[in-house]
Amino acid sequence: MAVQLRTKMALTHGAIAVLTIVLVVAASYLLINSRFLDYVTENKLRIHQELADHFKEAYQVGVWDQKKLSELTMEALENGYLIELRDKNGSILWESNMLGEGLVNDTMLRIEERIREHYGPKPVSLQSHLYELKHEEEPIGELEVKYYSKYFLTDHELMFLRYLNKSLLWVAGISLLLALGLSTVISSSISNQLSKIIEVAKSLARGETNHYKQLTDSSIVEIAELGVTINDLGEEIKEKEASNKRLSADIAHELRTPLTTLQSHLEALMEGIWQPTPDRLASCHEEIVRMAGLVNDLEQLNKYDVANIKLVKTTFDFRELLANIITNFERDFTKKNVALSFVGELVQISADREKIGQVIVNLISNSLKYTHEGGRVLISLEHDQNFVYLVVNDNGIGISPQDQPYIFDRLYRADPSRTRATGGAGIGLAIAKAIVETHKGQISVISQENKGTEFTVILPKK
Ligand code: ADP
């Protein structure tokens, strides 16, 4: 059965607290009680000895002071001791009963009751101790002290024990309340912090990124990390959402221009303003081809979304791949009258051949697209121990410094009107960058307007 964290923590803490308190209190109770009783017993023996000494003092030059004996016996009885004083021949000189049997019985009964009150109905038994009495090294008799074994406690001692036990119970009760209170406060705070995170996660799941709020800090590392993770997740979702919005706006913008042109051309043809000459039809066809190209590009964009790129690595010769692609481009270069030259050494590389091919195609087709007739493109391939370096250099139109930071972004074109004429949608470099980075490589550009552009790709050999 699932229970709330708050309840579970309060119950667990409560149980641990109860157990600890019971153990501590029980241990203290047993220890203190037994120690105390030991102390009481020792004390009793000391008192008996003192009693014996006092009785000894009642003997003066062969005569026992009867008054003093009576006083001492009374005092002993009040303290719970029965005494019997015998002379050196063993005849009884004085005993507690001589104070009156009724008084002795009453006192002893009172003591018995007190003992039962504290220890329960255990049978109580009398213990006795014998003390030899001497006067100037001469034996004068003996004193027998009888008392209720170690169970016997005075009113003060009983009161002390009662206070002690009561205090232990108070300590136990207060500690238990404190433990329960504290655990409720702590578990509530943890539970509240988690509830906040859950609330934010739920609102994110519902797609409410606008209401998404930053989570407050927590002093608990794990909860703080969870909060940060949810924050990051929220930011990421927000960014993705914004990027998706940008993308659809860009796509709409891209499609609207050729569609509007096509629409106005067709309307002009339908209304008879225009004659369907081969030129006009060719212009309409061109727009359709451009849209088809754009749709194609969009498909590519999905395929090469950084998160989706899965590499199928093989070991192949980079120079050979590059040479094949250059061969395929030769006709287009000749057609546009752009000179193409290539230098490079054979170099083995472990990478995704098809995707690296895509990067090379994008760079070479850009260099052709953005270089005027009569221009030239130089391609070089070098390598060192760990990396290969591919450089595509042209003396074309170049890229302005303002545009350079953005050319690797999706759907970014340095000059929309200019590139529309060349058919690019601004995704070739974004794709190239994603592929190169998935290979843990780098792509960079150096360019000067109206002078030319140089792209460098660095890829690890393994
Ligand atoms: P596109 O499909 O528009 O060529 P890319 O992502 O390949 O998209 O390139 C982005 C932009 O970078 C291009 O629109 C162009 O403005 C600029 N660019 C890329 N390569 C070159 C180059 N060799 N010379 C000049 N500009 C370039």
Side-chain angles (χ1 to χ4, degrees):
M1 190 186 65
V3 287
Q4 274 196 327
L5 177 73
R6 191 185 308 230
T7 320
K8 183 144 197 156
M9 281 186 72
L11 285 179
T12 328
H13 280 153
I16 294 172
V18 169
L19 206 71
T20 318
I21 291 164
V22 166
L23 281 177
V24 169
V25 168
S28 321
Y29 177 82
L30 290 176
L31 205 74
I32 295 174
N33 273 270
S34 84
R35 281 281 149 148
F36 182 69
L37 287 177
D38 284 348
Y39 156 77
V40 168
T41 312
E42 269 170 34
N43 207 28
K44 290 277 128 43
L45 293 177
R46 193 178 48 76
I47 292 174
H48 300 168
Q49 188 58 56
E50 275 173 20
L51 206 61
D53 291 346
H54 286 147
F55 268 91
K56 206 165 61 185
E57 282 161 16
Y59 182 82
Q60 297 289 332
V61 243
V63 185
W64 291 89
D65 180 343
Q66 295 296 316
K67 194 171 161 249
K68 197 158 188 188
L69 284 181
S70 161
E71 274 170 19
L72 282 172
T73 313
M74 190 64 199
E75 199 184 312
L77 181 67
E78 275 167 4
N79 283 318
Y81 300 109
L82 296 177
I83 58 111
E84 206 172 291
L85 178 70
R86 290 186 283 267
D87 66 12
K88 54 186 175 193
N89 304 321
S91 0
I92 294 173
L93 286 171
W94 191 269
E95 61 170 333
S96 300
N97 273 346
M98 287 162 79
L99 292 171
E101 235 172 277
L103 175 72
V104 173
N105 286 345
D106 279 358
T107 312
M108 292 318 273
L109 265 176
R110 220 181 56 233
I111 294 171
E112 263 181 57
E113 248 166 49
R114 211 162 53 196
I115 294 173
R116 292 221 170 81
E117 210 175 276
H118 190 68
Y119 290 104
K122 277 189 205 161
V124 285
S125 60
L126 277 174
Q127 260 191 2
S128 68
H129 271 267
L130 264 185
Y131 294 91
E132 211 184 327
L133 306 181
K134 283 183 178 167
H135 182 73
E136 290 168 357
E137 301 304 315
E138 278 293 307
I140 50 167
E142 59 180 12
L143 180 76
E144 190 180 354
V145 181
K146 292 185 202 156
Y147 61 99
Y148 280 119
S149 64
K150 70 171 180 180
Y151 292 131
F152 166 57
L153 296 172
T154 62
D155 278 347
H156 275 115
E157 288 159 351
L158 276 175
M159 205 139 75
F160 170 77
L161 273 189
R162 225 170 270 146
Y163 266 133
L164 181 79
N165 295 340
K166 234 189 220 165
S167 319
L168 280 175
L169 278 180
W170 271 104
V171 167
I174 292 173
S175 315
L176 192 65
L177 282 181
L178 271 179
L180 284 178
L182 271 179
S183 81
T184 310
V185 170
I186 294 172
S187 56
S188 292
S189 135
I190 295 178
S191 173
N192 285 344
Q193 292 174 32
L194 283 176
S195 297
K196 245 186 238 162
I197 296 178
I198 291 170
E199 198 189 302
V200 172
K202 273 186 183 161
S203 73
L204 285 177
R206 284 194 299 269
E208 295 165 6
T209 47
N210 281 342
H211 306 305
Y212 152 75
K213 49 178 177 291
Q214 296 279 314
L215 292 163
T216 46
D217 278 351
S218 168
S219 55
I220 300 165
V221 176
E222 287 82 355
I223 294 187
E225 264 174 30
L226 185 61
V228 170
T229 312
I230 296 284
N231 271 344
D232 290 349
L233 190 68
E235 289 298 328
E236 210 171 291
I237 293 177
K238 225 168 159 183
E239 234 163 63
K240 276 248 161 69
E241 213 169 58
S243 141
N244 280 346
K245 270 188 194 149
R246 248 190 344 256
L247 186 65
S248 34
D250 286 347
I251 293 170
H253 179 260
E254 288 305 314
L255 286 172
R256 192 175 302 116
T257 319
L259 275 175
T260 318
T261 318
L262 206 57
Q263 187 184 357
S264 60
H265 284 194
L266 282 177
E267 277 168 7
L269 288 171
M270 280 158 72
E271 285 164 12
I273 300 168
W274 274 4
Q275 289 307 305
T277 60
D279 274 1
R280 301 233 150 96
L281 289 176
S283 144
C284 290
H285 181 253
E286 204 180 291
E287 290 300 328
I288 290 170
V289 168
R290 194 163 17 252
M291 279 194 290
L294 178 67
V295 171
N296 207 24
D297 282 352
L298 288 173
E299 210 174 50
Q300 293 276 315
L301 192 65
N302 265 342
K303 199 164 139 198
Y304 289 108
D305 196 354
V306 191
N308 293 334
I309 296 183
K310 295 218 165 48
L311 299 179
V312 184
K313 284 191 177 181
T314 51
T315 303
F316 60 92
D317 192 276
F318 200 111
R319 185 187 187 277
E320 190 201 311
L321 172 70
L322 190 56
N324 285 347
I325 294 170
I326 290 174
T327 311
N328 289 342
F329 268 105
E330 262 163 6
R331 229 183 108 230
D332 298 334
F333 273 78
T334 319
K335 223 161 114 189
K336 198 176 171 186
N337 189 27
V338 175
L340 177 63
S341 60
F342 164 49
V343 281
E345 303 154 15
L346 290 175
V347 51
Q348 292 281 311
I349 172 172
S350 165
D352 187 316
R353 189 183 162 103
E354 197 200 318
K355 297 198 173 68
I356 294 294
Q358 175 83 42
V359 175
I360 301 170
V361 167
N362 288 356
L363 293 181
I364 300 181
S365 73
N366 274 354
S367 70
L368 175 63
K369 246 193 281 182
Y370 302 112
T371 302
H372 298 297
E373 280 182 28
R376 55 117 192 98
V377 172
L378 307 172
I379 298 170
S380 73
L381 176 65
E382 287 173 13
H383 67 98
D384 58 21
Q385 207 184 342
N386 298 316
F387 298 97
V388 294
Y389 304 84
L390 166 71
V391 177
V392 179
N393 175 299
D394 64 54
N395 63 351
I397 59 173
I399 307 163
S400 72
Q402 305 92 279
D403 287 323
Q404 280 181 30
Y406 305 107
I407 56 166
F408 294 104
D409 290 353
R410 296 199 301 196
L411 295 178
Y412 187 86
R413 295 159 320 168
D415 175 354
S417 59
R418 178 184 78 190
T419 18
R420 191 163 298 123
T422 57
I427 63 162
L429 287 179
I431 289 173
K433 184 172 190 259
I435 294 174
V436 169
E437 285 180 354
T438 314
H439 277 87
K440 304 211 169 8
Q442 283 172 17
I443 183 164
S444 56
V445 66
I446 302 172
S447 184
Q448 241 187 313
E449 260 180 306
N450 301 319
K451 287 263 169 66
T453 305
E454 182 174 284
F455 280 96
T456 304
V457 172
I458 306 174
L459 285 170
K461 282 180 172 176
K462 290 214 160 60

